[in-house]
């Protein structure tokens, strides 16, 4: 654990130096191709840095923060677009807004935030999940699929929510939530666009969807251009997920996860088109049924295309093992500090 922590520290030292270079050099170059050329070496470095760590949690978070989000943010910034434009007022803010999945909240609505005990319940459920895994040999594939889906969501939420709170306090500003209770989604559009991992659609929208739809609109009608923009966004997301899966597993891509996102892109676009028809507008489906159908579709297709590569590579087991290892590491350190304090007194 100590060696892996040292590797992680080195990664973030290189990251800080790289963003400092962007702050003091790239920002002085006029927006356009030349600024893009100035940030490309940093983008290449960010693609390499996740390979410096072997832990699933460290390599996965580094890949998500740097290889995906930071690179897309820097490319958008090269053309005065995205969450880094206008430029944050100081270097520390630029580092935070580049390297972490955070975004300034435009219209804070504290009255709509869920109470803190909801997060405590999610933490308790996650702890129960870790315990249940010890009996997974007695569970059916369907039950394991539900547990894996719940695990991925809770792990993301538990890791990112405290990070958002810490950064919000240190930066002194309100930040957008990373998740918005995705299990309450009433449609695929609602799930992917307004509830799941919200920093990703906030990046893909200006980076992929808008330019593709604008270019397609010159040759196609508005519905066709919209479909192509949605499809391109999901395709890019699938390709980037293949890259992140490579960092997880260090195995060649299989194309399964790309197919998962392509399928959801087609279904999301078709869902949007169907909603504009008079027949669907007349339907009054209850929210409960809509939520069951939406979440059920995500879980079932995830079991078909998203999870197989992760389960074959043993990544889920590694996630659980690392969680227990981290708990033991923290307990050992606290016991060591408590013993030293007792001996001194």
């Amino acid at each position: 654990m100590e060696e892996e922590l040292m590797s992680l520290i080195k990664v973030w030292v290189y990251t800080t130096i790289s963003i400092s270079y962007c702050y003091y050099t790239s920002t002085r170059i006029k927006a356009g191709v030349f600024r893009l050329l100035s940030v490309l070496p940093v983008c290449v470095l960010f693609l390499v840095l996740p390979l410096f760590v072997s832990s699933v949690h460290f390599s996965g978070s580094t890949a998500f923060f740097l290889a995906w989000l930071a690179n897309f943010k820097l490319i958008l910034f090269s053309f005065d677009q995205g969450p880094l434009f206008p430029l944050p007022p100081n270097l520390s803010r630029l580092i935070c807004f580049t390297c972490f999945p955070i975004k300034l909240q435009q219209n804070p609505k504290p009255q709509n935030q869920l109470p803190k005990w909801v997060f405590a319940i999610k933490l308790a459920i996650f702890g129960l999940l870790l315990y249940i895994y010890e009996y997974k040999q007695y569970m059916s594939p369907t039950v394991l699929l539900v547990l894996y889906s719940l695990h991925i969501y809770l792990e993301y939420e538990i890791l990112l929510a405290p990070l958002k709170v810490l950064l919000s306090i240190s930066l002194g500003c309100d930040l957008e939530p990373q998740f918005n209770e995705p299990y309450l989604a009433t449609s695929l559009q609602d799930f992917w666009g307004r509830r799941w991992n919200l920093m990703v659609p906030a990046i893909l929208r200006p980076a992929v969807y808008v330019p593709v739809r604008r270019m397609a609109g010159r040759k196609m009608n508005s519905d066709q251009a919209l479909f192509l923009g949605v499809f391109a966004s999901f395709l890019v997301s699938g390709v980037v997920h293949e890259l992140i899966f490579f960092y997880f597993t260090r195995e060649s891509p299989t194309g399964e996860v790309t197919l998962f996102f392509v399928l959801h892109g087609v279904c999301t676009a078709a869902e949007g088109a169907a909603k504009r028809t008079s027949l669907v507008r007349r339907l009054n489906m209850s929210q409960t049924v809509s939520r069951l159908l939406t979440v059920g579709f995500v879980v079932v297709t995830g079991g078909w295309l998203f999870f197989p590569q992760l389960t074959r590579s043993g990544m889920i087991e590694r996630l659980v093992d690392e969680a227990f290892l981290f708990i033991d590491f923290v307990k050992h350190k606290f016991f060591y500090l408590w013993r030293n304090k007792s001996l001194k007194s």
Side-chain angles (χ1 to χ4, degrees):
M1 177 65 79
E2 287 88 350
E3 184 179 343
E4 192 73 0
L5 285 172
M6 288 304 300
S7 298
L8 185 66
I9 290 171
K10 290 179 184 177
V11 165
W12 285 100
V13 169
Y14 294 144
T15 299
T16 302
I17 294 171
S18 300
I19 301 301
S20 300
Y21 154 78
C22 292
Y23 183 74
Y24 290 110
T25 304
S26 299
T27 56
R28 287 166 169 73
I29 301 173
K30 186 179 178 180
V33 175
F34 288 108
R35 186 188 289 178
L36 175 63
L37 291 174
S38 74
V39 303
L40 281 181
V42 175
C43 294
V44 172
L45 177 63
F46 284 179
L47 290 173
V48 175
L49 287 179
L51 298 174
F52 284 30
V53 287
S54 58
S55 158
V56 174
H57 288 88
F58 290 165
S59 63
S61 59
T62 304
F64 177 54
F65 292 171
L66 303 181
W68 187 349
L69 296 183
N71 274 349
F72 272 75
K73 290 176 185 178
L74 289 173
I75 292 170
L76 285 169
F77 165 70
S78 299
F79 301 96
D80 280 348
Q81 309 241 346
L84 299 183
F85 180 77
L87 184 71
N90 54 55
L91 176 59
S92 60
R93 282 208 167 201
L94 180 63
I95 292 172
C96 290
F97 282 102
T98 303
C99 300
F100 297 110
I102 57 173
K103 181 184 176 185
L104 278 174
Q105 192 166 29
Q106 302 301 324
N107 300 301
K109 297 177 181 178
Q111 68 273 15
N112 293 336
Q113 294 180 0
L114 291 173
K116 294 181 176 62
W117 56 264
V118 174
F119 181 78
I121 290 176
K122 293 177 182 178
L123 193 60
I125 293 173
F126 183 71
L128 182 61
L129 265 182
L130 296 179
Y131 174 78
I132 290 174
Y133 277 136
E134 297 182 11
Y135 304 94
K136 69 176 185 178
Q137 65 269 27
Y138 306 112
M139 300 177 192
S140 68
T142 303
V143 173
L144 282 175
L145 173 59
V146 174
L147 293 182
Y148 291 159
S149 304
L150 191 58
H151 183 141
I152 294 296
Y153 163 59
L154 290 174
E155 181 125 359
Y156 265 121
E157 179 93 33
I158 289 168
L159 290 175
L160 294 181
L163 176 64
K164 175 214 161 190
V165 172
L166 290 173
L167 290 172
S168 181
I169 293 171
S170 61
L171 296 173
C173 58
D174 293 308
L175 301 174
E176 296 278 357
Q178 289 95 351
F179 289 89
N180 182 23
E181 314 307 320
Y183 48 84
L184 298 179
T186 56
S187 66
L188 290 176
Q189 289 177 307
D190 187 30
F191 182 89
W192 292 114
R194 294 182 286 273
R195 292 189 180 276
W196 179 265
N197 209 357
L198 297 176
M199 194 66 236
V200 171
I203 290 293
L204 289 176
R205 197 171 289 115
V208 181
Y209 173 77
V210 171
V212 169
R213 185 178 179 183
R214 184 185 299 123
M215 288 187 292
R218 299 170 186 166
K219 303 285 186 180
M220 307 174 178
N221 62 45
S222 59
D223 287 343
Q224 292 171 331
L226 185 149
F227 178 89
L228 197 59
V230 172
F231 179 82
S233 300
F234 276 87
L235 177 61
V236 170
S237 181
V239 171
V240 177
H241 273 84
E242 292 281 2
L243 177 64
I244 291 179
F245 274 34
F246 168 74
Y247 291 126
F248 277 141
T249 65
R250 307 297 161 94
E251 297 174 358
S252 299
T254 64
E256 290 166 299
V257 69
T258 299
L259 185 56
F260 170 82
F261 281 97
V262 167
L263 173 64
H264 276 258
V266 171
C267 291
T268 301
E271 178 190 79
K275 284 181 177 179
R276 292 191 292 275
T277 64
S278 57
L279 176 63
V280 173
R281 282 200 297 265
R282 286 198 296 267
L283 290 176
N284 290 317
M285 188 180 295
S286 71
Q287 284 196 339
T288 301
V289 174
S290 298
R291 286 167 180 164
L292 287 173
L293 290 174
T294 301
V295 176
F297 181 78
V298 173
V299 171
V300 170
T301 54
W304 174 33
L305 295 168
F306 190 89
F307 288 107
Q309 187 180 0
L310 300 181
T311 53
R312 286 195 304 266
S313 64
M315 199 209 78
I316 301 294
E317 288 78 6
R318 288 175 61 197
L319 279 173
V320 176
D321 291 342
E322 287 182 11
F324 281 119
L325 183 64
F326 176 75
I327 292 169
D328 291 340
F329 177 77
V330 172
K331 285 165 64 177
H332 174 75
K333 289 298 182 183
F334 271 112
F335 176 75
Y336 178 79
L337 292 172
W338 175 80
R339 187 179 63 178
N340 282 354
K341 186 177 180 180
S342 299
L343 290 174
K344 289 178 181 179
S345 59

